[in-house]
Amino acid sequence: MLSVALGTLRARWVTFVGGFVALALGVGLLTVMGLTLAASLDAPTRAPERFAAAPVVVKGADTLRVPTPIGDRSQKLAEPRAVPPAAVAELERLGRVTPDRSFAVRARGGPGDLVGHPWSVATFAPYEIASGRAPRAADEVVVSGTWAKPGQRLRTQRGSVRVVGTVADRGIEHAVFYTDARAAQLQPRSVQLATDADATAVRNAVKNITGVRVLTGADRRYADPDPDRDREALTALNALFGTAGGVTAFVSVFVVASTFAFAVAQRRREFGLLRAAGATPGQLRRTVAAEALVVGVAASAAGCALGRYGAPRLVRWTVDGGLAPDWFATGDAVWPYCAAFSTGVLVALCGVVAASWRAGRTGPAEALREAAVDNRPMTWGRWLCGGVLLLAAAVLPFLGDPGGLLHRKSYVSRPMLLITAVALLAPALVRPLTRLLAWAPARLPGAVGLLVRENAAAAVRRTASVAAPVLVTVALAGSLLGATATLDAARAAENRARTTAAFVVTPSAGGFDGATLKSLRAVPGTEVSVTSASAVYVLEDGVALVRSEARAADPDALAATARLPLSAGRTTGLDDGSIIVNEEWERHTVGQRVRVWLGDGTRKTLRIAAVMTRGTGDNGVYVTPANAAGAAVDRVDVALADGADAAAVAAGLRRAVREDGGRVRTADQWIASTYPRTDRTTRLGFLLVLGIALLYTGISLVNTMVMATSDRVRELAALRLAGATRRQVLRLVGAEALTVAAVGALLGLLVTVLNLAAVGAALHVLHAPDALTLPWPALAATTAGCAALAVLAATATATATAAAAAAAATRTPHPSASASAQ
């Protein structure tokens, strides 16, 4: 059987090249995803940066730890605590103590992420004067980098200052160094400090003081800004590549299996001849399996080589796009090659099992009769599997938490189930869809429209196989982009309904200071609601420490500028001893008391004053400013008093924040700039996921179309013998390709609608706006691209085989004649 398989490979090389290309590309993509995923598992350990020269660093509490029956649970505090005064007193007895006071600085013409420090901590980086001198007066500063020069005056939200020196930029931050006395005025709190005392003596001195952490050696990096940024970046990359890998694996397995099954289905006449020559069903199956094994091994090896070539380029793209840190690179992991190779061989074998089993069961005469027309394209196995998957896709999403349907993993993975179900049921849908699409062309003068309808409807398996890549392409683009557009629109509508303020004022960086807030409140004709961002932590089910984003606001001012989506209670019922929660909380009944930890780790028991609906998941909790100590004011909502002039109020607000660098926008402008929140990183991530999948399916569409058209040499020859010109044949082939692409696009649109309907139902259950948003431009562009690829591939292949068709027509009867003769 191996010799027969090798002979068949030589004789039908076009068919097997199609399968080889599909499998090699699929394995290549799996290898690329595996290598990048393996590289995102471990982050390098960064050396200390800001305190590289400090012997010992002491930090206040920045992590909340709560004991549970299954061990401690921890969360990063929204508001780290300052080093306790008792600890500072103990450390001052041991040696010199240098507090690190960090605060946001906004300077006109400067970087947007300026950070202020006392000059005394510059020596720990170490920073050294590159030009000028150290600051000596309250209005003197030293800056890092070259964006300002000595002698230059800077206007900041904290007053005008003069640059008296610069230090080299160490790539850590954009720093502004004040005198120690001025820094203490601007930022009284110090969440960390450096000391030159012996580390053991420091630990002994603070061992009985709660909430103090001593950092030495490599641990001093935890005193740097965002010390876990590398690990957090890799966690995001891991999620991104995991999602992309899952989509890629599904698309590649789907396309490869479809391509191999189609390649076997094309050879039913050949199988019938072998059966007539005495081959047993088992021999036939073993032959097909041997062919698939040979192609699978060769294509998988080629795919691994492609993956080795492509992975570094994908990594470079993610780094250039800002998705990954500069140091991110592919490693030397071996398991991605093994996993991709074995998956490729397994998919190749599985792709031919069902088709070869069906071919082996048919008798010789039956196989020859079925060679021309698909009389029974749907087997009981396809009906059963397709029906079960369709039922599962319709029922499973609503068996659990409806909020889970709004998570990215859910709306990325759910279309795969629907695509598989619709693809299995496609042969039953192809004939009515084809007749519907070709109904009008079939009534036009000439035979092209009629032939398009009958050819596509008769060759159901061929039509379904060619439509499969289009189905995947349109369904993925429509489902992913439609789900994100629907959720973004729901969040925007939800926020629009919640915001009743006329203006929203936000700082350029950090938060507003007291003087600016006083000026904003003094603007006549306004009702001002000052809010700040914090967090609240609650232990649910006794084992899960859950963080909820919180906003701190005065309840009366909040009620005047916002309309919270309350299901129970009143906004004005909020006070220093209560909290407004949402229905996602384990306890969410008005009047109940909940034990929580505030943003700085303070443990309190608060009464539930009101309950909000869950919505899209952006409804956090509300507390009063007394329960959000240390949280910076990052938003001011302004409502107009009766009779107030909006233009005059806007001008007054702009004057109030001019020195602070704040921005005044109408509520609609603020919502438009804030929602949807699809930032550049998210867009690049979706581009990665969709780009890889759509590029692969596009190549597979061309590949499948070439396979399908090249197998119709005798059919095209019969048309030429019947009097059709070459131009008419090409027009027929192009029209058929266009019809098949339209069938695939309609099936993909069906998957998109079903997927978005589930998202809309979940939004309705969660009391959120449920207006579905179909990405028509993306759907139209994807469909047009698939149609163009299909027509070009079909007509190009038909042109290339025209000479073969003419030669075949003179020596081989048309298959329909052979079939009728049976």
Side-chain angles (χ1 to χ4, degrees), residues 102-117 142-144 147-148 154-158 173-178 509-510:
S102 299
F103 47 92
V105 177
R106 293 185 292 276
R108 291 190 179 182
D113 56 350
L114 288 173
V115 181
H117 300 294
V142 170
V143 302
S144 64
W147 64 273
L154 301 177
R155 295 186 63 181
T156 75
Q157 86 278 22
R158 303 175 187 274
E173 59 186 350
H174 294 110
V176 179
F177 294 99
Y178 291 78

Side-chain angles (χ1 to χ4, degrees), residues 82-93 190 193 209 212:
V83 180
V88 176
E90 291 291 334
L91 295 174
E92 286 176 340
R93 295 191 182 98
S190 174
L193 54 83
I209 301 176
V212 174

Side-chain angles (χ1 to χ4, degrees), residues 232-449:
E232 291 170 357
L234 286 193
T235 299
L237 277 178
N238 189 268
L240 171 63
F241 288 132
T243 301
V247 173
T248 301
F250 166 75
V251 171
S252 58
V253 169
F254 179 90
V255 171
V256 168
S258 176
T259 303
F260 270 73
F262 177 51
V264 173
Q266 281 184 308
R267 300 166 56 196
R268 284 172 296 164
R269 182 186 297 108
E270 177 184 324
F271 294 152
L273 293 174
L274 288 174
R275 292 283 285 118
T280 66
Q283 289 175 320
L284 190 62
R285 295 182 188 114
R286 286 194 295 274
T287 300
V288 173
E291 294 167 356
L293 182 62
V294 172
V295 174
V297 169
S300 297
C304 288
L306 285 174
R308 183 180 180 85
Y309 173 82
R313 284 152 183 80
L314 176 61
V315 167
R316 191 178 306 120
W317 182 84
T318 59
V319 171
D320 293 341
L323 292 174
D326 293 338
W327 48 261
F328 183 64
T330 54
D332 53 0
V334 177
W335 66 264
Y337 296 102
C338 300
F341 184 88
S342 58
T343 300
V345 175
L346 183 62
V347 169
L349 292 175
C350 293
V352 300
V353 166
S356 63
W357 186 269
R358 184 172 185 271
R361 289 189 309 160
T362 58
E366 182 182 357
L368 290 175
R369 283 196 299 270
E370 288 187 341
V373 180
D374 295 325
N375 293 323
R376 291 174 53 193
M378 286 295 294
T379 62
W380 66 268
R382 292 184 76 106
W383 280 114
L384 178 62
C385 294
V388 169
L389 289 177
L390 190 61
L391 182 64
V395 174
L396 287 179
F398 301 101
L399 295 181
D401 179 14
L405 293 175
L406 309 184
H407 296 162
R408 185 176 64 179
K409 288 184 179 180
S410 179
Y411 64 72
V412 168
S413 60
R414 188 169 57 250
M416 302 179 191
L417 199 62
L418 285 169
I419 290 171
T420 306
V422 172
L424 287 172
L425 299 175
L429 303 173
V430 161
R431 189 168 280 134
L433 283 177
T434 302
R435 294 190 180 280
L436 177 64
L437 290 171
W439 179 81
R443 279 159 176 73
L444 296 175
V448 173

Side-chain angles (χ1 to χ4, degrees), residues 681-727:
T681 301
T682 303
R683 288 196 301 271
L684 287 175
F686 271 110
L687 177 62
L688 172 66
V689 175
L690 276 177
I692 291 175
L694 301 187
L695 177 64
Y696 179 49
T697 53
I699 295 174
S700 300
L701 172 62
V702 173
N703 183 38
T704 309
M705 186 60 74
V706 169
M707 292 172 58
T709 307
S710 63
D711 197 52
R712 301 174 63 187
V713 174
R714 294 187 181 90
E715 179 184 339
L716 299 180
L719 288 173
R720 293 298 304 277
L721 288 175
T725 66
R726 179 179 178 182
R727 194 173 190 178

Side-chain angles (χ1 to χ4, degrees), residues 53 61 71 163 172 202 204 275 311 329 389 540 599 707-709 720 755 805:
V163 179
I172 304 171
V202 170
N204 291 332
R275 292 283 285 118
L389 289 177
E540 295 191 350
M707 292 172 58
T709 307
R720 293 298 304 277
N755 185 48

Side-chain angles (χ1 to χ4, degrees), residues 548-707:
S548 293
E549 299 303 320
R551 294 210 68 83
D554 175 80
D556 293 328
L558 180 65
T561 58
R563 187 187 299 111
L564 300 185
L566 299 180
S567 60
R570 295 177 298 109
T571 303
T572 53
L574 179 66
D575 55 32
D576 292 346
S578 62
I579 184 174
I580 297 177
V581 302
N582 59 65
E583 293 175 340
E584 196 170 2
W585 277 45
E586 182 182 14
R587 299 170 69 106
H588 55 268
T589 302
V590 173
Q592 282 186 316
R593 304 191 72 81
V594 290
R595 185 182 64 176
V596 300
W597 288 263
L598 302 180
D600 62 355
T602 302
R603 177 176 167 177
K604 293 193 72 172
T605 299
L606 300 175
R607 173 181 51 84
I608 297 177
V611 179
M612 295 182 291
T613 59
R614 291 179 61 179
T616 59
D618 285 348
N619 295 335
V621 302
Y622 283 85
V623 295
T624 60
N627 290 321
V633 174
D634 62 350
R635 175 176 157 189
V636 177
D637 290 13
V638 181
L640 298 177
D642 292 338
D645 180 67
V649 168
L653 294 174
R654 292 190 182 95
R655 285 193 298 270
V657 299
R658 182 175 300 157
E659 293 298 326
D660 204 292
R663 185 174 182 184
V664 178
R665 288 172 287 187
T666 65
D668 288 338
Q669 290 173 338
W670 177 76
I671 292 170
S673 64
T674 309
Y675 295 88
R677 292 178 176 176
T678 306
D679 56 17
R680 180 174 177 272
T681 301
T682 303
R683 288 196 301 271
L684 287 175
F686 271 110
L687 177 62
L688 172 66
V689 175
L690 276 177
I692 291 175
L694 301 187
L695 177 64
Y696 179 49
T697 53
I699 295 174
S700 300
L701 172 62
V702 173
N703 183 38
T704 309
M705 186 60 74
V706 169
M707 292 172 58

